[in-house]
């Protein structure tokens, strides 16, 4: 769910140069904290990292050659520039000619530690095939600085520049300093990743596990993505399968959307999805009616989210102004059991029905707990007027300790033809709100390839702007093709 922020004063991210939008507090690409950006200088010079020049190699050398597993990311490795004075450390591996002794530096630094490894060009070497390296012309001095602005081309610093590949010996030496069980930065491949998710060496934000998640389990699949504007993914999902007492299969999909104005919304959505899924997997095999099981699952999810408010506060530095708000999220779920389709929800996440035969009309199977839905239900506004209002997405129902009253909604349907059940957050349906729009966004082969279909729908939201987290689960519903009509309420 989106949240308003102050307008950013930068045209692009200082870290990755990603264009910024109004209201961004964090870069949508690398997670850079825009509130800590200092005022830029007038000419904004950018230091370019020039690939080191290589000298002519001698035929007989024991210089170690990087193996096939050595990463070549195009990202410069710290220490690949001019060596710092210090005592050299032999890092070369054994060969037929013996180990190579790297030249010793003249002195040590103030910390009394050996100087960093010298550049690869300081000694001749061979390529991976054992052939001498070709001599290269040193880069001109003017390429050491790139100046942004109208004088860039005249000064020789305009345009893109090529980053030097990491020195594999340097990366190996630095990686050895990372403690066992630690994480190495995906950008520089040498720095240790701190608990805040940033590299201690180069400062790059590391991809979080929840930034993009995919899962396929039999006939159900789900995809969740952080989107293009949020600094974290506050959605969560759970997909699973079990068996009913008669041995027939039951498939479950739960999708939760954290409330951004509450504290720890990502924890709330994860707790709710896990609790609802566990409740359904426990009650369905016992013979509980799927609609009753869905009702109990929503209550279990509510209890799990309420329990988060009873623990010690763990608001982040960006959430300290709202640390008193209880964690909260919305929930929507679907169960396919035999010839029955059961849906349940609290909040504004939705379930759509898309018949496999697109000649039949699709349908939306849920009603939002939102301000706009209330205005339409009471006849005070038309649907177009209500959803055009800035208050349209204010929710009136959610899971959390500060919810006024929990009212789980459930409904049962008996579709008379095969179709696809689309379970999603508003991060998707904001870009395909009407049932016909959602059906048009679903690829034709989604019934046979639900994971691919979910990936396409997430891509549809990202192409539309990706202003919110996006999560969708697809459940194919298989029944004999007979009769007429679409998803009909169970009698």
């Amino acid at each position: 769910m989106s949240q308003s922020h102050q307008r950013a004063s930068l045209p692009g991210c200082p870290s990755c140069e990603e264009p910024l939008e109004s209201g961004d507090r964090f870069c949508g690409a690398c997670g850079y904290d825009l509130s800590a950006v200092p005022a830029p200088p007038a000419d904004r010079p950018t230091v370019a990292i020039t690939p080191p020049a290589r000298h002519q190699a001698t035929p007989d050398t024991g210089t170690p050659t990087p193996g096939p597993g050595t990463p070549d990311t195009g990202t410069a490795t710290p220490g690949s520039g001019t060596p710092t004075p210090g005592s050299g450390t032999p890092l070369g591996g054994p060969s037929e000619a013996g180990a190579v002794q790297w030249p010793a530096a003249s002195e040590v630094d103030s910390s009394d530690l050996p100087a960093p490894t010298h550049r690869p060009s300081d000694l001749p070497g061979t390529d991976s095939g054992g052939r001498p390296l070709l001599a290269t012309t040193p880069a001109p001095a003017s390429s050491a600085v790139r100046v942004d602005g109208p004088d860039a081309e005249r000064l020789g610093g305009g345009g893109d520049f090529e980053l030097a590949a990491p020195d594999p010996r340097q990366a190996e030496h630095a990686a050895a300093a990372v403690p066992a069980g630690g994480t190495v930065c995906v950008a520089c491949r040498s720095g240790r990743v701190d608990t805040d998710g940033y590299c201690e060496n180069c400062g790059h934000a590391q991809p979080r596990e929840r930034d993009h998640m995919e899962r396929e389990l039999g006939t159900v699949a789900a995809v969740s993505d952080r989107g293009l504007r949020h600094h974290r993914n506050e959605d969560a999902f759970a997909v699973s399968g079990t068996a009913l007492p008669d041995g027939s299969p039951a498939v479950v999909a739960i999708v939760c959307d954290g409330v951004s104005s509450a504290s720890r919304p990502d924890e709330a959505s994860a707790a709710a999805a896990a609790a609802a899924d566990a409740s359904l997997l426990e009650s369905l095999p016992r013979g509980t009616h799927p609609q009753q099981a869905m009702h109990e699952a929503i209550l279990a999810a509510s209890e799990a989210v309420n329990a988060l408010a009873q623990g010690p506060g763990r608001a982040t530095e960006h959430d300290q102004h709202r640390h008193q708000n209880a964690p909260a999220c919305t929930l929507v779920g679907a169960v396919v059991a035999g010839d029955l389709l059961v849906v349940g929800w609290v909040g504004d996440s939705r379930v759509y029905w898309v018949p496999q035969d697109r000649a039949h009309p699709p349908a939306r199977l849920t009603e939002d707990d939102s301000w706009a839905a209330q205005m339409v239900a009471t006849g005070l506004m038309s649907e177009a007027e209500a959803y055009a209002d800035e208050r349209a997405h204010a929710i009136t129902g959610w899971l959390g300790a500060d919810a006024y009253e929990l009212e789980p909604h459930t409904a049962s349907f008996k579709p008379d033809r095969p179709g696809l059940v689309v379970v999603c957050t508003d991060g998707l349906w904001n870009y395909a709100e009407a049932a016909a729009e959602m059906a048009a966004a679903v690829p034709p082969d989604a019934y046979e390839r639900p994971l691919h279909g979910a990936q396409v729908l997430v891509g549809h939201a990202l192409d539309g702007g990706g202003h919110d987290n996006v999560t969708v689960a697809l459940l194919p519903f298989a029944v004999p093709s007979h009769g007429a009509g679409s998803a009909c309420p169970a009698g």
Side-chain angles (χ1 to χ4, degrees), residues 77-459:
T77 303
S80 61
T82 303
T84 303
S87 58
T89 303
L91 294 178
S95 68
E96 295 180 1
V100 172
Q101 298 295 323
W102 292 86
S106 59
E107 58 185 14
V108 297
D109 59 18
S110 59
S111 63
D112 201 33
L113 296 175
T117 306
H118 287 236
R119 292 176 295 181
S121 59
D122 291 340
L123 283 180
T126 59
D127 60 17
S128 58
R131 296 177 295 273
L133 298 176
L134 299 176
T136 56
T137 303
S142 60
S143 65
V145 175
R146 186 186 70 175
V147 181
D148 296 324
D151 295 330
E153 290 193 13
R154 182 177 60 82
L155 297 176
D160 295 331
F161 58 92
E162 188 175 6
L163 293 177
D167 181 354
R169 295 160 298 187
Q170 177 80 10
E172 179 183 0
H173 180 68
V178 178
T183 304
V184 179
C185 174
V186 300
C188 69
R189 296 186 181 274
S190 61
R192 186 178 73 89
V193 178
D194 205 347
T195 55
D196 60 358
Y198 291 84
C199 176
E200 293 180 340
N201 179 43
C202 67
H204 271 78
Q206 304 300 299
R208 300 177 177 90
E209 181 181 0
R210 289 180 62 173
D211 281 357
H212 185 88
M213 302 179 291
E214 296 184 0
R215 189 175 184 198
E216 186 175 31
L217 183 65
T219 59
V220 61
V223 177
S224 181
D225 192 89
R226 184 185 69 180
L228 305 179
R229 299 290 175 247
H230 280 240
H231 71 284
R232 65 181 175 187
N233 189 358
E234 297 171 356
D235 287 356
F237 68 81
V239 293
S240 58
T242 186
L244 301 177
D246 62 359
S248 60
V251 182
V252 174
I254 301 293
V255 169
C256 296
D257 185 356
V259 178
S260 295
S261 60
S263 64
R264 297 146 57 196
D266 52 333
E267 297 181 33
S269 61
D277 183 64
S279 176
L280 287 166
L281 294 182
E282 191 274 333
S283 58
L284 288 173
R286 288 192 287 105
T288 305
H289 190 279
Q291 188 168 357
Q292 178 62 29
M294 177 63 74
H295 182 88
E296 295 173 358
I298 296 176
L299 295 180
S302 177
E303 293 176 2
V305 177
N306 292 348
L308 295 177
Q310 300 171 4
R314 287 177 288 169
T316 67
E317 59 178 337
H318 307 296
D319 296 333
Q320 290 178 357
H321 66 284
R322 61 190 188 197
H323 70 280
Q324 297 297 333
N325 295 345
C329 69
T330 66
L331 180 147
V332 65
V335 174
V336 173
D339 63 347
L340 201 62
L341 167 61
V342 173
V343 299
W345 73 97
V346 173
D348 61 349
S349 294
R350 294 180 176 180
V351 177
Y352 290 85
W353 167 260
V354 179
Q356 186 181 22
D357 183 357
R358 300 300 177 87
H360 299 281
R364 175 155 64 96
L365 307 182
T366 59
E367 294 292 337
D368 298 342
D369 288 325
S370 67
W371 179 90
Q374 283 192 348
M375 295 298 102
V376 175
T378 56
L380 297 178
M381 285 185 176
S382 67
E383 186 171 359
E385 293 173 336
Y387 281 100
D389 194 282
E390 62 181 6
R391 297 164 290 181
H393 290 280
I395 57 175
T396 58
W398 63 89
L399 304 181
D402 59 352
Y404 299 111
E405 184 178 358
L406 178 61
E407 295 182 1
H409 311 291
T410 61
S412 295
F413 302 89
K414 285 187 177 180
D416 56 4
R417 57 176 49 90
L420 194 68
V421 182
V422 180
V423 186
C424 65
T425 62
D426 60 345
L428 172 60
W429 66 253
N430 277 335
Y431 302 99
E433 187 170 339
E437 294 175 330
M438 182 62 71
V442 174
D445 62 349
Y447 185 86
E448 294 82 12
R449 303 170 61 197
L451 178 58
H452 173 259
Q455 293 168 340
V456 170
L457 288 174
V458 169

Side-chain angles (χ1 to χ4, degrees), residues 15-72:
S15 175
C16 65
E17 301 184 357
E18 177 76 6
L20 301 175
E21 295 289 337
S22 174
D24 285 350
R25 291 177 58 192
F26 301 87
C27 176
C30 69
Y32 192 92
D33 186 354
L34 301 177
S35 63
V37 178
D43 58 350
R44 297 178 295 170
T46 302
V47 177
I49 304 174
T50 306
R54 293 172 175 171
H55 301 292
Q56 179 65 40
T58 57
D60 188 11
T61 177
T63 304
T65 302
T70 303
D72 186 6

